[in-house]
Amino acid sequence: MSSMKYGSVQEEETLWLPFLKKSLEQKHANYNEEIRMLRTPFTSPGYHTTIKEAEYVHPIRESLDYALVILDCGEKQYEDRAIEIVRNILSLQDQQPDSPTFGIWSWYWEEPLAKMSPPDWNWADFIGKRLLQVLIRHGNRLPADLQQLTSQAICNSCEAIIKRNVGPDYTNISIMGAFVTLIAGEWLENRSYFDYGMERLKRLYDYSMQTGAFLEYNSPAYSTVAILELSALVTYSQTEEAKRLANELLDATWLMVAEHFHPLLKQWSGPHARSYNTLLAPSHLSFLQMACRGEISFMRDEHFVYGMDWYVQGVVCPRHLYGLFTNIGVRELRQDLPPYHEFRTRTAYTYMTPEFSLGTFNHNVMWNQCRNLLGYVHTGDEEHSYIQLRVLHDGYDFCTAVYTSQQEQASVLYGIQFALDGGDTHVNLDPIHGRMTASDLRIRIEIGSSGKVPAWKQIGEDTFQTLLGKTMLSVKALYGAMDGFSKFRWEIVEDGSIMGLDYILYEGDPAEIDFHAMEEALFLFALTLSEPSDCSGIGTAVTSSEHAVQASLETPEQAVTLTLTKKPAERVVLFHS
C-alpha cells in the first residue's frame, strides 16, 4: 500500500535530514554490540520499573528509535545493525496469547516484564507505532522472515491495545492506540483493527471537542506527543474521515499551544495538567522551531536538537498562529476541560502580560506531574524565574493533597485539603487510604531562577514578599488547621538556583497521620503578582463556620471568594462540595 500524503511529507522533510543525521551520530558510540541495543544513562520516574540504581540501561523504545533513524538516514554501514536491533526487540515482546501481558514489552533489556511493578501497557502503543513505521518506510529492506515477524508483532500490539481499551481521557495513549490499530488495519488489511481504530478516534474526538480541549490539558510533554501522533495519522492514513477528525483535533491543539506560549520568556504558560520539567526543555523549543519550518527562532542555533522520532510525521504549525509565538500583549485565557468522573467541572485559567504569566486550575490533585499554580516572571536580560506550588511529604510531592483555587488576573486564592482515597507519590499506583507516616509535611511556594536567587522579606506575621525583576510576588497564609498538629510556621529553604517558601505542617520524628480521624485539615493562602510600588499587602478576610471556611481576596478587578470544607473526604467530594 502507498500513501500520496506520506510521499509528499517525506519529500518536504528532507530539509531536516542533516539535523537527524547529527542526532544519530551522537548515538553510535552508545551501541552495545553484544546486547544489540542502545545504552543510555538510567533515569526513573519512580514507578513501573523496580530498578532503583543503575548507571546505564538498554531501553527498548530508544533502541528502536535508533534503528529507525539509521534506516531513515540511509546509513548503509549501519543497516545490518538496525535490522539486528529490530529482530532483537521483536524477541522481547510477550508473544504468548494466554499471558496477561501478551503484546507488550518491558522498558529495559535488564528488566523483564515479570519484574516490573506493574508492567507498562503503554509500550504496546509506543513500540507498535515504531514497528509500523519501520514496516511502512523500510519494509522492502527487511529480510522476508523479519517482515513477517514485524507484522505479527504489530498484530500482537493491536490485540493488547484493544484488550486494554483506554478511554479518551488518557489523551496521548488514546491517540497513539488509534494510530496503531487504524494504520495497522489499513496496511495489514485487517478490518477489525481498522474499525476499532476509527471508533477509538471518534470517541476521542467526541469527548475532547465537547469543550475543545484534551483532558491532559496544556501539557508540554503530552501536547507535543498529541501533535506528533495526530500529524502521523493525517500523514499515514488512507481514510478521509480519519484525516478530518485528526486535523480538527490538531487545529485545537496548536491553538492551545500558541496561546499559552510567552514569546519574551520563551516559556509555556501554565497551568499544566501533566509536566516533567517546570522550565521548558530545549527539546520543546526545538520542536516548535521545527514545526514552524525554522521561520521563527525559539533558541540559539547551537542549542537546536532534532528529535529522533519527529521525522516524516508531517508536523506543521498553522501559519496564522505564528503571531502568537512572536508578539505578547495581555492575554486572558479560560478553558473548560472535558468532564471526568472526579473532575466534572475542571477549568483552566491563564493571565499573561509582557512581564509574567500566571495560570491555575480551579481544582486538582497535587501530583508531581501537575502544575496547578504556575507562574513565569521576567527577571532580567534573558533571565526568568518560575513560581510553582507544591505539597511535600518527606520531600516528595504528595498526591493525597487536593488543591482548589479561584484566580482573577494576577491574584489567586487557593486552599489545600486532604483526600481519604488519595495516593502518596502517584495518583493511583500507591494509595495510602488516608493514613500515612511522615517525618515532614509542608506546603511550598517554589521559585526556580535562571539568574540571581530572589530574597524573601517577611511583612507582618503571615505575609512574605519577593521582587522578581519588575514584579512583586506576595504570599499570605490565611487559615491553617489540622487536628492533632499545631504551631505551623514558615521556613525559607534554598537549594542552588531553587528557593522554597515553606509552610511547615509537621517536622520531627516519624509520626502517624490519619486523616480519617480528623474533623479539620485545611489550609488557605493568597498569592498576587503586582507592580513593585504596590507594597500595601494583600487585602483579605476569613470567616469560619462549623464545617467550612470562607476566604475573600480584594483584587483591582473584583473580590475573589473561596469556600472550602474543613473535614477530609474522598476526592470527588472535595472537588464538588
Side-chain angles (χ1 to χ4, degrees):
M1 181 179 290
S2 62
S3 168
M4 292 296 291
K5 176 68 173 175
Y6 161 67
S8 63
V9 167
Q10 188 175 37
E11 184 176 339
E12 290 168 8
E13 295 195 5
T14 54
L15 77 133
W16 299 115
L17 262 178
F19 299 93
L20 187 64
K21 289 182 177 181
K22 182 178 178 181
S23 297
L24 177 62
E25 287 168 4
Q26 299 167 2
K27 304 293 182 182
H28 291 318
N30 295 318
Y31 181 68
N32 186 317
E33 294 278 359
E34 182 179 350
I35 293 177
R36 293 173 295 160
M37 293 179 71
L38 204 63
R39 185 187 71 169
T40 66
F42 173 69
T43 59
S44 170
Y47 45 86
H48 284 309
T49 181
T50 57
I51 298 174
K52 301 301 180 186
E53 291 185 12
E55 187 175 2
Y56 295 100
V57 289
H58 295 82
I60 287 171
R61 179 175 61 177
E62 287 79 357
S63 296
L64 190 51
D65 280 339
Y66 174 60
L68 180 56
V69 172
I70 288 173
L71 297 172
D72 282 334
C73 290
E75 299 281 352
K76 291 292 185 181
Q77 68 270 39
Y78 296 112
E79 185 170 310
D80 289 345
R81 174 183 292 187
I83 289 172
E84 284 305 305
I85 292 172
V86 172
R87 192 179 294 277
N88 186 32
I89 287 173
L90 295 182
S91 73
L92 298 174
Q93 184 187 42
D94 184 342
Q95 299 178 354
Q96 300 301 317
D98 59 347
S99 168
T101 53
F102 172 60
I104 71 173
W105 287 260
S106 64
W107 283 2
Y108 308 118
W109 177 85
E110 289 79 0
E111 184 178 37
L113 279 166
K115 291 187 177 181
M116 294 185 71
S117 180
D120 188 354
W121 280 74
N122 291 349
W123 254 231
D125 309 78
F126 278 102
I127 308 304
K129 180 197 173 182
R130 285 159 171 80
L131 289 176
L132 260 170
Q133 293 183 319
V134 168
L135 193 64
I136 293 169
R137 300 201 314 238
H138 307 290
N140 59 345
R141 299 165 68 181
L142 303 180
D145 72 311
L146 192 55
Q147 291 184 39
Q148 179 57 40
L149 291 171
T150 303
S151 297
Q152 184 57 55
I154 292 167
C155 290
N156 297 344
S157 295
C158 290
E159 295 294 338
I161 289 166
I162 293 169
K163 177 182 178 181
R164 186 186 185 199
N165 194 31
V166 302
D169 51 279
Y170 196 168
T171 308
N172 65 309
I173 296 302
S174 182
I175 302 170
M176 200 178 301
F179 175 91
V180 175
T181 50
L182 192 154
I183 303 301
E186 290 182 350
W187 284 82
L188 302 179
E189 298 181 346
N190 185 307
R191 186 71 195 188
S192 64
Y193 295 162
F194 172 79
D195 288 344
Y196 175 84
M198 275 300 303
E199 190 273 334
R200 181 158 165 158
L201 180 59
K202 289 175 181 175
R203 269 193 295 152
L204 173 73
Y205 177 89
D206 291 342
Y207 177 72
S208 302
M209 296 307 273
Q210 292 179 81
T211 61
F214 294 132
L215 189 67
E216 290 178 326
Y217 180 71
N218 197 39
S219 163
Y222 293 106
S223 297
T224 315
V225 172
I227 288 170
L228 275 167
E229 303 310 319
L230 290 167
S231 300
L233 262 169
V234 175
T235 298
Y236 289 91
S237 179
Q238 307 295 306
T239 306
E240 288 304 316
E241 178 69 358
K243 292 174 182 287
R244 181 186 69 81
L245 296 175
N247 270 320
E248 289 190 30
L249 289 167
L250 268 173
D251 288 344
T253 307
W254 270 120
L255 177 61
M256 177 201 70
V257 174
E259 286 182 329
H260 284 86
F261 188 80
H262 196 294
L264 299 182
L265 294 169
K266 296 291 192 293
Q267 294 297 328
W268 191 313
S269 299
H272 302 159
R274 293 181 70 185
S275 183
Y276 296 101
N277 302 289
T278 305
L279 292 174
L280 201 58
S283 61
H284 290 119
L285 291 172
S286 297
F287 181 85
L288 295 176
Q289 189 159 313
M290 176 272 295
C292 293
R293 290 289 192 255
E295 296 176 28
I296 300 176
S297 177
F298 291 89
M299 60 203 309
R300 293 190 180 96
D301 290 345
E302 62 267 26
H303 295 151
F304 179 81
V305 178
Y306 189 79
M308 295 181 70
D309 59 340
W310 300 351
Y311 191 58
V312 197
Q313 304 299 297
V315 176
V316 180
C317 175
R319 188 172 293 275
H320 70 270
L321 298 177
Y322 280 16
L324 289 169
F325 288 110
T326 56
N327 301 300
I328 179 67
V330 173
R331 300 182 197 171
E332 190 171 5
L333 310 171
R334 192 184 304 273
Q335 177 66 57
D336 292 331
L337 275 61
Y340 187 63
H341 65 91
E342 288 182 343
F343 311 116
R344 295 193 297 268
T345 56
R346 191 158 44 151
T347 300
Y349 178 91
T350 307
Y351 183 69
M352 301 170 65
T353 74
E355 289 297 317
F356 66 82
S357 72
L358 182 63
T360 58
F361 287 116
N362 62 333
H363 54 233
N364 208 358
V365 293
M366 291 301 296
W367 186 23
N368 77 325
Q369 291 188 27
C370 298
R371 304 292 187 267
N372 299 320
L373 187 161
L374 179 62
Y376 296 100
V377 183
H378 179 243
T379 56
D381 292 340
E382 296 189 5
E383 292 183 356
H384 51 262
S385 294
Y386 72 77
I387 304 162
Q388 180 188 347
L389 175 69
R390 304 175 71 185
V391 179
L392 302 174
H393 167 210
D394 292 344
Y396 197 85
D397 299 89
F398 186 40
C399 287
T400 281
V402 168
Y403 166 89
T404 306
S405 78
Q406 289 292 327
Q407 178 179 351
E408 181 63 38
Q409 294 192 1
S411 302
V412 184
L413 197 58
Y414 63 94
I416 298 295
Q417 299 163 285
F418 298 94
L420 301 179
D421 57 345
D424 186 4
T425 63
H426 192 277
V427 181
N428 301 312
L429 297 181
D430 60 351
I432 64 169
H433 306 293
R435 299 178 178 89
M436 67 175 186
T437 301
S439 299
D440 190 283
L441 186 63
R442 62 184 63 203
I443 300 169
R444 168 176 292 178
I445 289 291
E446 180 174 289
I447 298 178
S449 299
S450 64
K452 183 180 177 181
V453 177
W456 284 101
K457 179 181 179 182
Q458 188 165 3
I459 310 295
E461 183 179 355
D462 291 316
T463 302
F464 283 78
Q465 292 183 329
T466 186
L467 187 62
L468 302 172
K470 298 178 180 179
T471 303
M472 181 68 74
L473 167 63
S474 303
V475 179
K476 183 177 183 179
L478 304 181
Y479 184 88
M482 190 166 78
D483 289 351
F485 299 85
S486 59
K487 298 182 179 178
F488 311 123
R489 61 183 176 85
W490 290 102
E491 179 178 88
I492 296 173
V493 178
E494 186 173 346
D495 182 10
S497 63
I498 296 176
M499 176 172 283
L501 175 65
D502 294 359
Y503 196 70
I504 311 297
L505 310 190
Y506 176 73
E507 184 181 38
D509 294 331
E512 296 297 320
I513 298 179
D514 185 355
F515 293 110
H516 292 269
M518 297 181 187
E519 290 299 314
E520 188 169 10
L522 171 64
F523 298 87
L524 283 159
F525 303 85
L527 179 149
T528 63
L529 296 174
S530 62
E531 296 285 339
S533 57
D534 184 9
C535 298
S536 58
I538 306 176
T540 59
V542 178
T543 304
S544 178
S545 63
E546 182 180 358
H547 300 294
V549 177
Q550 182 180 79
S552 63
L553 168 64
E554 295 297 326
T555 79
E557 296 74 36
Q558 62 183 48
V560 177
T561 62
L562 184 65
T563 302
L564 296 177
T565 56
K566 297 178 176 180
K567 186 176 175 62
E570 293 186 350
R571 287 178 295 198
V572 69
V573 174
L574 295 178
F575 290 141
H576 302 289
S577 60

